[in-house]
Amino acid sequence: MTDSPLMPLWEVFIRPRNGLNHKHVGSLHAADAKMAMQAARDVYTRREEGNSIWVVRASDIVASDPDNADENFDPAADKVYRHPSFYDIPDEVGHM
Amino acid sequence: MYSQGLIGANTETKETQEFLDAFQARIDAEIKIEPNDPMPAAYRKTLIRMIGQHAHSEIVGMLPEGNWITRAPTLRRKVALLAKVQDEGGHGLYLYSAAETLGVSREQMTEELLNGSAKYSSIFNYPTPTWADIGAIGWLVDGAAIMNQVPLCRCSYGPYARAMIRVCKEESFHQRQGYELMKTLTEGNEDQKQMAQDALNRWWWPSIMMFGPSDTDSQHSDQSMKWKIKRFTNDELRQKFIDATVPQAKLIGLTLPDPDLKWNENKNEDGGYDFGEINWDEFWKVVKGHGMMNKDRIRARKKAWDDGAWVRDAALAYAKKSEQQNSEAA
């Protein structure tokens, strides 16, 4: 094995069709953006999975720390007043 | 994802009983484990070994079939085989990516394959001397792999489960094309029919060995089941595969090479086939590197890796230079 630097890692996002979001589908290694794009096309769209690809260098992604998941996401759990079902309105009103 | 961030990172966990219990509680509640979540070192290690071995199997698995691409008898068979082998390459990639999320690098895994410290499925150490072998591999080897992989779609480790979902979706054609190929041969002349039977004779036992040692001899099974890495034991999956395959063979007029195969309505809940003694000596011989093709497979992988070194180096050098030129121009 040589001392070559590690081949950079890219995350791949695919939009299945117009009107939908790009969605994370996997990752791959490539030296640069152009090769990452070509490899993503070969590997992740062999069966008409989409019509648009994003590739993003994994090292450019800023991710939240799972250790902070409680303080980040728990506070939303007791805010039921943010949901429509929290409010009482007469049945006669119908759909609102 | 995040894998390169984990390489060389301190993934040690303080494994108090409290920590292990909390982890088990998450598993029992069917909450998936994701890359940066705290996990016992043994859970991480088991997954790296298992996913790595799975990835290597996909990659080495391209070799016995690649052998026949140029000699496929019709264009229809050739495009199917090309697509299948290309899929296996993709499956290797999905799996390597999943393993990398646990903090092992692709380069490290490749090195372990080439130096023999990492294993791949014993099945790929058997040769493919005839065209019927391509049918037998699709039908039996991919059939066994699917039997194994479908429950892995519910593995407790998120990235592995997601990779398996993709793999299973793509792999369903692999088994069908193999069975169709065998069926076509059995409808041909006597020589063609004989060729199909001969391939089945050679691939049957190695295929049922693919599920690994019997539960009584498997050292990893219990803890993997408890952590829901695996959902079924080796013997359970082997039995399911045999029960599914026996009628398929009968339907196309082929005979499985096991005189002890016999329906037993008292087996398990719905009955099942009794089958003959598996030659575990042969299995362990092949696993330990003394199968017919072990040396050829590793030699081919090593050659591909070594011959590709200049391409990887050139691509990296080009990327670096382009980046420099861009920053100078800016």
Side-chain angles (χ1 to χ4, degrees), chain B residues 57-67 85-86 88-89 124 301:
Chain B
S57 302
E58 299 282 353
I59 298 299
V60 176
M62 292 195 282
L63 298 170
E65 292 183 294
N67 185 30
V85 172
Q86 192 188 13
E88 312 295 3
F124 300 117
R301 285 311 307 149

Side-chain angles (χ1 to χ4, degrees), chain B residues 32-77:
Chain B
K32 297 277 184 210
I33 308 302
E34 293 293 342
N36 284 353
D37 290 345
M39 61 184 92
Y43 179 84
R44 183 186 301 277
K45 205 176 142 200
T46 302
L47 277 164
I48 289 177
R49 187 179 52 80
M50 186 167 158
I51 306 173
Q53 183 169 326
H54 198 161
H56 296 323
S57 302
E58 299 282 353
I59 298 299
V60 176
M62 292 195 282
L63 298 170
E65 292 183 294
N67 185 30
W68 279 93
I69 291 175
T70 56
R71 290 174 286 164
T74 66
L75 185 58
R76 184 173 186 271
R77 294 289 180 214

Side-chain angles (χ1 to χ4, degrees), chain B residues 12 28 60 161 163 167 170 176 185 204 220 241 270 296 307:
Chain B
E12 243 174 70
D28 292 341
V60 176
V167 168
E170 298 184 352
R176 287 174 70 105
L185 284 172
W204 173 249
H220 303 295
F241 173 72
D270 307 313
D296 293 69
D307 290 355

Side-chain angles (χ1 to χ4, degrees), chain B residues 116-128:
Chain B
S117 59
K119 303 283 181 224
Y120 54 90
S121 179
S122 56
I123 195 83
F124 300 117
N125 291 316
Y126 291 85
T128 44

